[in-house]
Amino acid sequence: MKKYSVAIVGATGLVGRTFIKVLQEQNFPISEIQFYASSQSIGTEIEFNSQMHKVVELKPETVKKFDFALFSAGGTISKIYAPLFAENGTIVIDNSSAWRMDEKVPLVVPEVNSEDLLWHKGIIANPNCSTIQMMLPLKPISDTFGLEQVIVSTYQSISGAGNKGLVQLDFESQNLVDYSFTKQIYSNAIFHPSDENYPMWSNEEIKMVNETRKILHLPELKVSVTCVRLPIRIGHSEAVYLILKKPFKISEIRELLGKQNNLIVEDNFPDGVYPTAAQTKDRDEVFVGRLRRDLANPNSIWMWVVANNIRKGAATNAVQIAQKMIEMKLV
Ligand SMILES: NC(=O)c1ccc[n+]([C@@H]2O[C@H](COP(=O)([O-])OP(=O)(O)OC[C@H]3O[C@@H](n4cnc5c(N)ncnc54)[C@H](OP(=O)(O)O)[C@@H]3O)[C@@H](O)[C@H]2O)c1
């Protein structure tokens, strides 16, 4: 079996560490691996497949060619370094928002739009965590019944803000002072920062609108979003309301979602069966439940969609993109 050289950029972060776990769990065929981080991590060693590897400081001089570079070091680093790796012939799969809306860059959830990988030019963007999990149920419903409008409210974990979010939550839970998130996060519900182009909206809300349209190839789709951060460590939940174009039965939707790869339907609310964020620990799948026709609008359906934001929302989706590219013989 062919093996591939892989670089992890941002290897010491929450997503970076999860890349390392997922690659090992999935037995990704690796010939060589290199871990990059900032100057702060010089001297750090990371174990991979029972061997210790020194972290390399990311600098223009340390960039070299790999088959894949998995990036999770923030947008500023991606803007500068993704093109440097790509021009060497490396396929960059980027977790930041730096390239997602670039017309020349595919934005991919493998179960939904892997055909977009065919036109990549070296950089592939991994969507936002909240967008990825919503795409798995939306795609088959959109294809079969047509989407008139999507209205979603998110209930997002603080690990979406990286290590610093978890550290801040732990700190506040002991002291309840010094709110580096502008508002207290402990025992609270807060919003993401304001978007630079749409200041009345948060940047997370605008990402979900734009990315949903791009992934589903529905540039005019009506998408309305409210994103909320909660003091949950891992796992994002979403209350998704869909207005559909064609009549539907709930049983048809349940059957359709049951056939979607990597989507698990847990839908028996009267008996207490529905997914929650806590159960997504170490899970790569997306979970959906509480399928119900809206009481006021019979052409609309509600659902509850849950996933691990660090795994399917970031690291797992990126590794699946690399696996899909191997399967499609694009590398
Ligand atoms: N957390 C999520 O749920 C999630 C989901 C989807 C996408 N993402 C995206 O993934 C990226 C990383 O998120 P995270 O949650 O893993 O953040 P994190 O825990 O704060 O980790 C950041 C990583 O970036 C590295 N880094 C920072 N500055 C660097 C520099 N100048 N040169 C090289 N490496 C540098 C850090 O290295 P040092 O340790 O050396 O500082 C660390 O490895 C972000 O773009 C984020 O938007 C996160």
Side-chain angles (χ1 to χ4, degrees), residues 10-15 37-38 41 72-74 77 95-96 159-160 162-163 309-310 313-314:
T12 51
L14 263 188
V15 175
S38 77
S41 296
S72 65
I77 294 296
N95 260 281
S96 80
S159 57
N163 261 326
N309 51 298
I310 310 289

Side-chain angles (χ1 to χ4, degrees), residues 18-313:
T18 311
F19 277 140
I20 294 163
K21 262 195 219 161
V22 173
L23 287 168
Q24 291 175 100
E25 286 168 6
Q26 309 243 337
N27 269 328
F28 193 92
I30 287 193
S31 55
E32 179 199 351
I33 191 147
Q34 182 148 313
F35 300 122
Y36 289 98
S38 77
S39 55
Q40 280 187 49
S41 296
I42 294 174
T44 305
E45 292 200 9
I46 295 179
E47 188 177 340
F48 187 86
N49 285 345
S50 309
Q51 283 194 330
M52 298 309 290
H53 297 259
K54 281 206 167 72
V55 170
V56 174
E57 184 186 352
L58 183 68
K59 298 189 277 193
E61 310 86 86
T62 57
V63 172
K64 58 176 201 156
K65 182 188 175 339
F66 295 88
D67 291 312
F68 294 104
L70 308 181
F71 267 63
S72 65
T76 312
I77 294 296
S78 293
K79 264 281 181 236
I80 300 167
Y81 283 92
L84 295 185
F85 277 88
E87 72 197 22
N88 269 339
T90 301
I91 295 170
V92 173
I93 304 174
D94 180 38
N95 260 281
S96 80
S97 54
W99 297 97
R100 289 180 191 149
M101 296 316 296
D102 189 308
E103 281 175 8
K104 296 188 196 73
V105 174
L107 181 66
V108 175
V109 179
E111 297 88 344
V112 172
N113 63 331
S114 55
E115 72 280 4
D116 286 335
L117 292 169
L118 291 169
W119 51 267
H120 86 86
K121 295 179 176 47
I123 302 175
I124 292 141
N126 210 50
N128 180 261
C129 40
S130 326
T131 312
I132 292 177
Q133 68 183 67
M134 189 170 75
M135 290 303 97
L136 269 72
L138 248 61
K139 173 66 175 165
I141 294 176
S142 171
D143 287 351
T144 309
F145 296 101
L147 290 176
E148 187 69 45
Q149 186 167 6
V150 179
I151 301 173
V152 55
S153 296
T154 71
Y155 304 76
Q156 298 182 223
S157 66
I158 195 63
S159 57
N163 261 326
K164 73 174 192 313
L166 291 173
V167 168
Q168 180 66 18
L169 178 59
D170 289 342
F171 178 75
E172 287 182 18
S173 62
Q174 287 158 20
N175 299 288
L176 275 177
V177 287
D178 184 7
Y179 309 133
S180 69
F181 274 75
T182 67
K183 298 267 187 200
Q184 169 185 329
I185 180 66
Y186 177 74
S187 197
N188 209 357
I190 67 171
F191 297 114
H192 298 69
S194 156
D195 185 81
E196 62 177 7
N197 297 316
Y198 300 89
M200 299 307 282
W201 294 86
S202 76
N203 54 17
E204 188 84 352
E205 290 159 354
I206 298 301
K207 283 179 205 171
M208 280 192 82
V209 172
N210 293 336
E211 294 178 22
T212 296
R213 291 172 170 166
K214 179 168 176 177
I215 296 164
L216 294 178
H217 300 167
L218 296 172
E220 307 295 327
L221 181 64
K222 291 180 203 159
V223 185
S224 309
V225 186
T226 300
C227 290
V228 181
R229 274 198 208 282
L230 296 176
I232 291 172
R233 295 185 73 80
I234 288 188
H236 289 358
S237 308
E238 297 175 345
V240 181
Y241 176 85
L242 304 176
I243 305 176
L244 304 188
K245 289 187 172 162
K246 293 185 191 157
F248 64 92
K249 291 191 185 127
I250 293 290
S251 57
E252 290 173 322
I253 302 259
R254 196 179 289 117
E255 198 185 328
L256 202 55
L257 298 185
K259 290 182 190 152
Q260 171 68 283
N261 208 6
N262 297 327
L263 181 66
I264 297 179
V265 181
E266 292 186 356
D267 185 38
N268 185 355
F269 185 59
D271 288 343
V273 177
Y274 60 89
T276 63
Q279 78 189 55
T280 68
K281 184 174 180 296
D282 296 331
R283 294 296 296 260
D284 291 311
E285 306 93 333
V286 176
F287 299 83
V288 63
R290 301 222 55 205
L291 300 174
R292 61 207 193 276
R293 190 182 298 279
D294 189 57
L295 293 175
N297 292 308
N299 56 345
S300 302
I301 182 170
W302 281 101
M303 60 183 68
W304 181 245
V305 182
V306 178
N308 182 315
N309 51 298
I310 310 289
R311 282 184 171 254
K312 184 56 181 167

